[in-house]
């Protein structure tokens, strides 16, 4: 992980939030390369979950919802982790993540050499609180959303009456969520501000129909990570045991990945039954039922949820791509991103600054189609190394022969193999290689 975190900073993928003020735990900023990679992950999710389907539509809802939303969903009462304080070092920890002392069967303070006495565990609500209104006295307390799905449920009626969808169908959303995690850790794996990619699929509340769609989405979501380019041998599905299920879930399976710090959850696929819509019907007293015109039946739909973390997917893509090898006797670090995910698809490198004008023209012509970068700084070897570290799959070198033959040399990041390609054919060449 240390090498990965260091590369992420060195090459402008991920920075500690508020670094110049000493940082703030659990908050991260994405640099020029990180933001491109993140966009590509989200684009791939949206393409597969919304754009290429007839039965899923998208929404983008507010981060702050009416506080009753969270009373109905159960978050105000039960969205908490058990927390303990150390009476000696004053550290604050999640009780369920601590080692247990064999002497007294109690959790042990994890601060090195402390061994301090810990308080009894108490429930710590993970929602961030804020005030809406001009002053704390006249305003009201509200929460930053801890998950994006609740406003999909509260907007269910509006979406169904305006989108001409019929059950079964889904509503998808990508957006920020906030959880005041007691112990954010493992780089961006567990943060306090993060992004989710969630889809709620509404089906008829019959057991066999729910099971059919649950199995369908389980298979689709697992396949999605493979299509994204993640090594299949590092991906796993883990069914939740009955005693592990969240209060709303009838069944749940996690997609997991073998991170350098161990196997951990990327996404949960859950059969939430009709719990959410029923709760919002109860608390809002609004009719969120569905009338099936085909069968003249009225019912509260059940929901199959696919809930992925954008940041965890990003971390997976980064960990999966990180590699070190030896090229011409020298060690190199190379990010082997799938071409469609790479932040920069093509580096355009003039062999000499004298050739800059022509090379820049090629870069400008391709810019409309793909993310390119013109680079004339330093030796060609140094430029290749930099592009290897940011994961650019192809670099085109414009050399002195290019002026006469109107061709460039395209170098492949992974194999370092080189092809001579006509300038007018670069776009098609890259299309063939899966860049678009
Ligand atoms: N709506 C269901 C839900 O939110 P969850 O298991 O709490 O379920 C779903 O979260 C996904 O959101 C997780 O699998 C993970 O990818 C991501 N996620 C949750 N908490 C996170 C955190 N603190 N930091 C980064 N990602 C997180």
């Amino acid at each position: 992980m240390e090498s990965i975190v260091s590369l992420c900073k060195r090459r402008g993928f991920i920075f500690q939030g508020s670094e110049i003020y000493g940082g703030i735990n659990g908050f991260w900023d994405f640099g020029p390369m990180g933001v491109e990679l993140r966009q590509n992950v989200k684009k791939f999710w949206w393409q597969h979950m919304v754009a290429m389907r007839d039965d899923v539509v998208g929404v983008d809802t507010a981060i702050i919802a009416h506080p009753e939303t969270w009373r109905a969903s159960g978050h105000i009462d039960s969205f908490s982790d058990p927390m303990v304080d150390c009476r000696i070092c004053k550290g604050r920890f999640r009780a369920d993540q601590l080692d247990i002392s064999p002497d007294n069967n109690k959790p042990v303070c994890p601060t090195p050499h402390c061994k301090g006495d810990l308080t009894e565990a108490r429930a710590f609500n993970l929602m961030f609180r804020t005030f809406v209104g001009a002053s704390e006295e006249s305003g009201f307390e509200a929460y930053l959303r801890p998950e994006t799905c609740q406003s999909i449920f509260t907007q269910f009626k509006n979406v169904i009456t305006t989108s001409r969808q019929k059950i079964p169908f889904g509503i998808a959303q990508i957006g920020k969520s906030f959880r005041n995690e007691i112990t954010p850790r493992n780089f961006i794996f567990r943060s306090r501000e993060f992004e989710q990619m969630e889809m709620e699929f509404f089906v008829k509340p019959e057991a066999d129909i729910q099971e059919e769609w649950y199995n369908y989405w389980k298979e689709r979501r697992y396949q999605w990570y493979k299509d994204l380019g993640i090594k299949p041998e590092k991906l796993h599905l883990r069914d939740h045991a009955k005693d592990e299920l969240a209060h709303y879930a009838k069944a749940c399976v996690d997609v997991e990945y073998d991170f350098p710090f161990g196997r951990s959850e990327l996404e949960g696929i859950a059969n939430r039954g009709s719990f959410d819509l029923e709760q919002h019907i109860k608390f809002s007293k609004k009719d969120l039922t569905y009338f099936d015109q085909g069968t003249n039946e009225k019912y509260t739909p059940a929901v199959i949820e696919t809930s992925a973390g954008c940041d965890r997917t990003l971390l997976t893509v980064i960990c999966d791509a990180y590699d070190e090898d030896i090229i011409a006797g020298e060690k190199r670090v190379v990010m082997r991103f799938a071409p469609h995910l790479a932040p920069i698809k093509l580096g355009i490198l003039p062999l000499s600054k004298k050739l800059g004008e022509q090379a820049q023209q090629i870069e400008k012509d391709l810019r409309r189609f793909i993310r390119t970068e013109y680079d004339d700084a330093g030796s060609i070897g140094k430029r290749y190394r930099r592009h290897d570290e940011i994961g650019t799959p192809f670099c085109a070198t414009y050399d002195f022969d290019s002026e006469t033959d109107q061709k460039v040399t395209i170098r492949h990041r992974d194999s370092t193999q080189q092809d001579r390609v006509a300038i007018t054919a670069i776009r098609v060449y890259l299309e063939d290689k899966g860049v678009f």
Side-chain angles (χ1 to χ4, degrees):
M1 270 317 279
E2 230 171 78
S3 316
I4 289 171
V5 174
S6 148
L7 175 123
C8 282
K9 179 167 184 198
R10 184 168 79 243
R11 291 303 181 192
F13 284 92
I14 302 169
F15 309 125
Q16 170 70 62
S18 312
E19 192 184 277
I20 63 164
Y21 292 105
I24 168 166
N25 204 2
F27 296 92
W28 299 94
D29 293 337
F30 295 88
M33 291 303 123
V35 75
E36 297 287 343
L37 189 62
R38 212 173 149 78
Q39 297 276 12
N40 294 340
V41 166
K42 290 195 272 185
K43 194 171 110 198
F44 194 72
W45 187 89
W46 196 263
Q47 243 173 5
H48 283 241
M49 297 297 287
V50 184
M52 295 196 321
R53 300 189 63 101
D54 294 325
D55 58 356
V56 180
V57 290
V59 291
D60 186 358
T61 65
I63 282 170
I64 293 182
H66 193 289
E68 278 302 284
T69 310
W70 308 112
R71 215 171 293 285
S73 66
H75 282 81
I76 288 182
D77 287 339
S78 57
F79 191 58
S80 53
D81 280 336
M83 183 178 72
V84 290
D85 289 302
C86 176
R87 293 195 170 97
I88 303 292
C89 71
K90 306 294 174 209
R92 188 158 267 196
F93 312 102
R94 250 178 82 166
D96 57 341
Q97 289 176 343
L98 300 178
D99 290 337
I100 302 291
S101 159
D103 302 335
N104 57 11
N105 233 9
K106 284 186 165 176
V108 182
C109 176
T111 305
H113 316 299
C114 175
K115 296 199 176 84
D117 187 27
L118 299 174
T119 59
E120 285 301 312
R122 59 194 188 283
F124 174 76
N125 194 295
L126 300 184
M127 284 197 293
F128 280 100
R129 271 183 286 184
T130 186
F131 274 89
V132 176
S135 71
E136 290 199 8
E137 294 73 42
S138 64
F140 62 90
E141 197 176 49
Y143 304 89
L144 303 190
R145 68 180 175 201
E147 59 179 12
T148 58
C149 64
Q150 289 304 324
S151 29
I152 291 182
F153 300 130
T154 57
Q155 292 293 0
F156 167 72
K157 203 80 187 191
N158 277 333
V159 173
I160 202 149
T161 50
T162 55
S163 64
R164 300 190 308 144
Q165 287 288 341
K166 288 193 180 83
I167 278 176
F169 85 105
I171 305 178
Q173 158 152 247
I174 299 179
K176 290 268 186 176
S177 290
F178 301 82
R179 296 182 191 179
N180 197 1
E181 299 282 357
I182 300 167
T183 43
R185 59 176 164 183
N186 291 330
F187 199 26
I188 58 169
F189 180 83
R190 187 177 304 285
S191 321
R192 289 177 164 140
E193 173 177 339
F194 55 97
E195 211 158 1
Q196 289 186 309
M197 307 185 289
E198 295 199 294
M199 193 276 308
E200 311 301 316
F201 201 78
F202 299 89
V203 303
K204 207 169 174 182
E206 286 176 9
D208 53 338
I209 295 178
Q210 289 178 54
E211 196 175 330
E212 187 187 320
W213 281 107
Y214 174 72
N215 289 329
Y216 169 84
W217 282 112
K218 179 174 162 176
E219 186 277 319
R220 284 309 314 143
R221 293 304 304 149
Y222 191 48
Q223 184 59 40
W224 183 83
Y225 290 95
K226 293 183 192 166
D227 295 343
L228 188 68
I230 305 301
K231 295 185 187 91
E233 67 275 17
K234 292 199 164 191
L235 286 168
H236 310 274
L237 278 174
R238 188 182 69 80
D239 289 302
H240 281 212
K242 281 265 174 296
D243 61 355
E244 239 188 306
L245 291 176
H247 61 281
Y248 52 76
K250 291 184 162 181
C252 187
V253 58
D254 286 344
V255 181
E256 298 183 328
Y257 177 76
D258 293 326
F259 288 99
F261 47 81
R263 188 173 292 180
S264 296
E265 172 191 338
L266 284 181
E267 163 161 0
I269 298 116
N271 177 357
R272 300 179 70 117
S274 304
F275 175 84
D276 304 280
L277 288 178
E278 274 166 3
Q279 286 294 101
H280 289 300
I281 290 170
K282 191 165 132 196
F283 279 74
S284 69
K285 304 199 171 42
K286 297 287 183 322
D287 180 13
L288 302 178
T289 55
Y290 175 75
F291 180 68
D292 188 329
Q293 289 179 330
T295 61
N296 269 352
E297 283 175 284
K298 192 176 169 184
Y299 54 80
T300 307
V303 170
I304 310 299
E305 173 184 77
T306 71
S307 178
C310 174
D311 307 79
R312 286 195 191 172
T313 309
L314 192 73
L315 185 60
T316 306
V317 165
I318 289 173
C319 292
D320 213 60
Y322 185 91
D323 197 13
E324 293 173 6
D325 63 5
I326 307 285
I327 296 291
E330 269 184 48
K331 186 184 125 178
R332 76 164 173 167
V333 171
V334 53
M335 296 300 279
R336 300 190 192 277
F337 295 129
H340 72 106
L341 289 179
I344 306 291
K345 313 297 185 197
L346 181 71
I348 305 201
L349 326 175
L351 196 58
S352 147
K353 283 201 170 151
K354 286 187 205 137
L355 301 166
E357 206 177 307
Q358 298 92 317
Q360 254 169 339
Q361 191 53 51
I362 298 174
E363 198 264 334
K364 284 205 177 98
D365 291 346
L366 287 167
R367 238 184 227 184
R368 283 183 294 144
F369 311 106
I370 50 165
R371 195 74 178 78
T372 52
E373 196 181 270
Y374 173 80
D375 187 357
D376 65 4
S379 72
I380 199 81
K382 226 172 166 180
R383 283 181 264 168
Y384 282 153
R385 292 294 165 273
R386 183 179 156 264
H387 279 284
D388 287 342
E389 289 203 358
I390 61 173
T392 307
F394 303 100
C395 281
T397 305
Y398 189 92
D399 55 31
F400 290 100
D401 290 336
S402 303
E403 287 189 288
T404 42
D405 69 2
Q406 287 300 299
K407 289 181 177 174
V408 288
T409 299
I410 296 192
R411 172 198 183 257
H412 295 214
R413 172 198 68 201
D414 293 340
S415 62
T416 71
Q417 172 206 323
Q418 304 200 346
D419 293 329
R420 196 78 182 156
V421 178
I423 292 166
T424 51
I426 298 177
R427 201 180 141 200
V428 174
Y429 178 90
L430 294 177
E431 202 165 352
D432 255 16
K433 306 274 183 249
V435 158
F436 288 88

